[in-house]
Amino acid sequence: MSRANRLFIPFLWALLLLTVLLSARYGAVSIRLQEMASALSKCCFSGGDMGLNERIFMDIRLPRALLCVFVGASLGVGGTLLQALFRNPIVEPGLIGTSSGAAFGAALYFVLGATFNFHTGEWTLPLAASAGAVLSTFLVYILSQSKETGKSSIVVLLLTGIAINALFMSGVGFLSFLARDPQARSITFWGLGTLSGANWHSVLIVGLSTVLCILASLRFGKQLNALMMGEEEALFLGVNIRRLKWAVLAVDVLMIAVATAFVGVISFVGLIVPHLLRMLNGSDNRPLIFTSAMAGGIFLSLADLTARMVVRPSELPIGIVTSVVGVPVFIYLLRRKNYFF
Amino acid sequence: MLAGKNISYRIGSKKLLDEVSVEFQPGMINLIIGPNGAGKSTLIKILSGQLKPTSGEVSYSGRNIAKAPVAELAKIRAVLSQNIELAFPLSVSEVVMMGRYPHFMNSPTQSDREACNEAMRFFDVLGLENRNYMTLSGGEKQRVHFARVAAQVWKANDKSESVLLLDEPLTFLDVYYQFDFMEKLRQLVQQQSMVVAGVVHDLNLAGKYADHIVLIHRGKAVAKGSKEAVLTRENIHSVYGLSVEVAYTANAVRLHF
């Protein structure tokens, strides 16, 4: 590693800490640093009564800031892994069906839950979304594989992604047509993503899945590097291609589905974050997997802060903010000359 | 020694290779020649372990490779193909280091770095070390890959035998690089205990550099042996359907078409 690389990770840690503090500080009401500190010390040590701002910090801001970091990390790493696996900088979880599948699962839960009046607790929504995400992703993956060679070409993959996305999104549309007002609203909100539902429960689950999946994916760095030269060359370097593909896809879908289950569809994070990092610090996957977790957290925290600040005291769905930044990056990547099909 | 015994490869009812046997010795340049579609690349793929033969077996130094895991095979066998593109930009030194991936877990050891340096010096890429691979010319790129595959099977001290297979590595290169690489390859097999075997199209290149030639035609090995024994008027005529004049000089066979 060069000198610049050694400073890059501490720099990201500092930036991450700063954005978490900013995102906890600002919102409908501003919370001062002393209030954060006293809330933390009351919670952890003395256990005294908290004031209003201290309560807001402990029950709303802090879980939201942490959830933001974990979800951003999941989306960032998810994008990096998929791009490395498909050898293409334009792939991201939203494009290969993961997100629309999750949205469909969630919509199904909202409509069926209201119709049949079942409510099996807070696990049902994330489970339904995860099942949908797994279904759609594996559909895209299997349908895009060529019958003869068992390989998937990137054009076929993206087109299959479009078809499956359209299928699942029209499923969402149909369900929202059936739904009465409150549920329909939930589906809309779900489709654009929001972190307003953050609580300590969701922080715990998303955090656990994020940390475990990132730890698992750090092992793929070297093999994914070899894959940059193509499947044959990677095989000659001792990579078991089949096993690598399934392992990466499984980790990826799990991580994205759990995150999506709690915050909805947030597009383009998995596209922008790896792209920025490659420009700043090179394409070697070994540092990239870890740094895209950190940069994903930073990026999503800033996006969430923006979503809360522009229409204060109300807030925008966060997907609007990430799309405004992400679409130009997507188009730039599409039009670049040295872009691989 | 790299040996393929009675190798056949069939897809459906089509026989791509029919009972081909080859023996390639270390310290020599072994070349496989033959017309398009003769089965040369299939043979290289089978010798490398990428394809499993329908029947027959491949062994490195007497050990059958059929059961060897890909990760183990990668430590003793490297393969170079033509025209490798990278999906993302990497520096040249990172690309060469990929050759050592089979040898280390997380970070490269001193001997991995040394192997890369030696291989880069040997193939003249030390000056390109920090360049972005994607900005290199075709010839420079192939030099980098020569260094990468050499690094993969580079031997510092031990004399165990490794295998280097070349699948038409010179196809898109100009004449200068074709001769340059063959010269380098000749030095390499003299320095290292390596079995080198490759597919080339240019018969005059084979006539100049090959120590051992296998001529493949319609899935069969129709001639094997020294260049003088294989590159004859009769063989060329029956396989390629061309009449040639063959001139034998001190250490080369030259064909005039």
Side-chain angles (χ1 to χ4, degrees), chain A residues 80-152:
Chain A
T80 300
L81 289 181
L82 285 183
Q83 291 174 11
L85 188 65
F86 292 109
R87 310 183 60 225
N88 199 299
I90 209 122
V91 180
E92 79 104 41
L95 282 171
I96 65 157
T98 316
S99 309
S100 62
F104 179 74
L108 205 60
Y109 163 81
F110 280 120
V111 171
L112 289 185
T115 311
F116 298 112
N117 230 349
F118 68 78
H119 217 79
T120 39
E122 46 206 333
W123 277 97
T124 321
L125 173 64
L127 270 180
S130 302
V134 169
L135 179 70
S136 59
T137 309
F138 282 84
L139 260 182
V140 169
Y141 183 64
I142 287 164
L143 289 177
S144 65
Q145 276 183 336
S146 136
K147 270 186 201 150
E148 290 100 46
T149 59
K151 292 175 188 168
S152 47

Side-chain angles (χ1 to χ4, degrees), chain B residues 3-11 14 16-21 42-60 64-67 73:
Chain B
K5 219 192 256 169
N6 303 327
I7 293 169
S8 294
Y9 188 73
R10 224 174 276 123
I11 294 181
K14 199 163 182 263
L16 295 184
L17 287 175
D18 187 10
E19 298 282 313
V20 173
S21 294
T42 311
L43 181 58
I44 284 282
K45 285 194 170 95
I46 287 170
L47 294 178
S48 72
Q50 187 193 351
L51 283 182
K52 299 266 173 280
T54 317
S55 65
E57 63 170 61
V58 178
S59 61
Y60 296 170
N64 189 340
I65 65 162
K67 295 234 160 55
L73 217 47

Side-chain angles (χ1 to χ4, degrees), chain B residues 95-143:
Chain B
V95 176
V96 176
M97 186 52 89
M98 283 188 189
R100 299 303 296 178
Y101 279 2
H103 301 276
F104 64 84
M105 277 300 288
N106 295 313
S107 37
T109 63
Q110 190 57 32
S111 72
D112 293 320
R113 277 191 216 97
E114 272 162 21
C116 284
N117 267 326
E118 297 282 315
M120 285 198 280
R121 183 170 305 124
F122 191 85
F123 284 102
D124 268 338
V125 284
L126 274 178
L128 304 174
E129 224 177 337
N130 297 316
R131 288 272 301 278
N132 173 0
Y133 173 85
M134 284 182 155
T135 64
L136 301 180
S137 72
E140 289 170 329
K141 282 180 180 168
Q142 200 63 343
R143 244 156 77 197

Side-chain angles (χ1 to χ4, degrees), chain A residues 61-83:
Chain A
R61 291 285 173 79
L62 189 58
R64 183 168 185 156
L66 292 177
L67 186 66
C68 215
V69 169
F70 288 133
V71 169
S74 280
L75 295 174
V77 175
T80 300
L81 289 181
L82 285 183
Q83 291 174 11

Side-chain angles (χ1 to χ4, degrees), chain A residues 206-218:
Chain A
V206 177
L208 198 67
S209 119
T210 304
V211 169
L212 289 180
C213 287
I214 289 173
L215 284 179
S217 51
L218 288 177

Side-chain angles (χ1 to χ4, degrees), chain B residues 136-226:
Chain B
L136 301 180
S137 72
E140 289 170 329
K141 282 180 180 168
Q142 200 63 343
R143 244 156 77 197
V144 170
H145 288 296
F146 263 106
R148 173 177 62 82
V149 293
Q152 187 179 345
V153 290
W154 198 268
K155 290 284 185 287
N157 305 309
D158 71 305
K159 286 289 161 220
S160 65
E161 221 171 81
S162 52
V163 173
L164 178 59
L165 296 168
L166 310 163
D167 189 4
E168 304 189 23
L170 308 175
T171 303
F172 291 104
L173 299 177
D174 64 30
V175 181
Y176 169 80
Y177 278 121
Q178 294 191 353
F179 281 92
D180 188 50
F181 282 130
M182 291 312 288
E183 286 291 339
K184 291 245 160 66
L185 216 51
R186 186 184 262 173
Q187 290 171 32
L188 194 67
V189 294
Q190 282 158 7
Q191 288 174 16
Q192 302 242 331
S193 57
M194 250 179 222
V195 178
V196 172
V199 173
V200 292
H201 269 301
D202 187 334
L203 298 182
N204 276 313
L205 214 59
K208 187 165 160 66
Y209 291 101
D211 300 307
H212 179 82
I213 297 185
V214 177
L215 175 60
I216 307 261
H217 185 44
R218 296 193 182 130
K220 285 192 161 75
V222 293
K224 282 183 271 193
S226 68

